[in-house]
Amino acid sequence: MAKLSIIAQNYFARGLFHFTGHAYHNTKKPSESALILKNKQPLTSEEIAKSDLKSYYLVGLSACETGITGKDELIDEFVGLASSFLAAGAVYALSTLWIVDEISSALIMIRFYQILNEQRCQNKLHPALALKESQKWLRTITYSKLSDWYLELAKVTYNSGCSENLRDEANLIRRNDAKMESDEPPYSALYHWAGFTITGKVNP
């Protein structure tokens, strides 16, 4: 399911930055909260805040605890990963309030970007509304509908490996009669969708 992660694309007049991976919030020293990069080196909130990110309309942080903030001993403002991206110039930041599940996070983020792209095609962008709609979608979708969605997504995904992975996921569901007949949404629990939040500037 990690292959389902969306790759950042410049859909907007201002750019989109997306991060999928590991992160942590440092409770005692919020400015040292960090994203963990590929080489396992931390990119701290303090370093992010000093960057020039004015070219980014939206920052998507699909990792654990990216939306938590705390007060640093030396400053009065609340500090955290999402707030650091905003301080660096990004208009909006999508982040998480707790340790999130890999599969449900991938699903909600992909659906979020689908809705956001639909908004872009209509010349109106409302990230908060896109998140609200994607949260509702995740908490109400059944396994049967999810398998249909996987197959539709496979048709428009350019990466052949990702398309194959999506078809495999759909077929796994379809071979399970209990899942196909169930009306219970598998990701209805608050844990899967309620931890995602949007923060941003009033006048972008």
Side-chain angles (χ1 to χ4, degrees):
M1 292 297 292
K3 294 180 181 178
L4 297 182
S5 298
I6 287 293
I7 298 173
Q9 300 180 48
N10 288 325
Y11 282 143
F12 316 111
R14 298 177 70 173
L16 167 65
F17 171 86
H18 180 80
F19 176 85
T20 294
H22 297 289
Y24 61 84
H25 177 73
N26 189 320
T27 305
K28 294 183 179 179
K29 193 72 173 177
S31 61
E32 294 181 5
S33 300
L35 302 177
I36 306 301
L37 305 182
K38 187 175 181 180
N39 59 3
K40 297 186 179 180
Q41 291 298 311
L43 177 63
T44 67
S45 291
E46 185 176 7
E47 293 171 314
I48 293 167
K50 293 178 181 178
S51 303
D52 182 4
L53 301 176
K54 296 183 180 67
S55 62
Y56 290 103
Y57 176 81
L58 173 70
V59 172
L61 302 174
S62 182
C64 298
E65 302 181 338
T66 54
I68 300 176
T69 59
K71 279 194 173 182
D72 196 293
E73 293 179 359
L74 301 179
I75 59 177
D76 293 329
E77 296 181 0
F78 283 93
V79 178
L81 289 165
S83 59
S84 293
F85 276 100
L86 296 177
V91 180
Y92 293 101
L94 188 156
S95 56
T96 61
L97 299 175
W98 51 66
I99 296 174
V100 294
D101 175 74
E102 180 183 3
I103 295 176
S104 55
S105 294
L107 295 176
I108 197 170
M109 292 305 299
I110 293 172
R111 185 61 186 140
F112 169 76
Y113 288 125
Q114 281 185 321
I115 295 170
L116 208 61
N117 194 43
E118 292 167 3
Q119 291 180 350
R120 178 194 64 85
C121 293
Q122 298 169 5
N123 294 316
K124 56 181 181 181
L125 289 174
H126 300 288
L129 179 59
L131 177 60
K132 181 179 179 180
E133 291 182 8
S134 61
Q135 288 173 316
K136 180 180 179 181
W137 172 85
L138 183 65
R139 73 174 187 262
T140 58
I141 194 166
T142 62
Y143 273 119
S144 176
K145 294 293 184 182
L146 188 59
S147 69
D148 293 339
W149 183 74
Y150 281 147
L151 293 176
E152 287 300 316
L153 195 60
K155 295 177 183 178
V156 298
T157 301
Y158 296 108
N159 184 294
S160 59
C162 189
S163 294
E164 183 178 355
N165 186 54
L166 287 162
R167 287 191 291 269
D168 288 345
E169 292 293 332
N171 289 330
L172 281 173
I173 293 173
R174 294 187 172 207
R175 287 196 294 267
N176 188 318
D177 291 340
K179 286 185 177 181
M180 289 298 292
E181 295 171 4
S182 176
D183 292 327
E184 292 295 322
Y187 299 107
S188 61
L190 288 170
Y191 166 71
H192 292 293
W193 55 270
F196 290 83
T197 184
I198 285 275
T199 50
K201 299 177 180 177
V202 176
N203 297 307

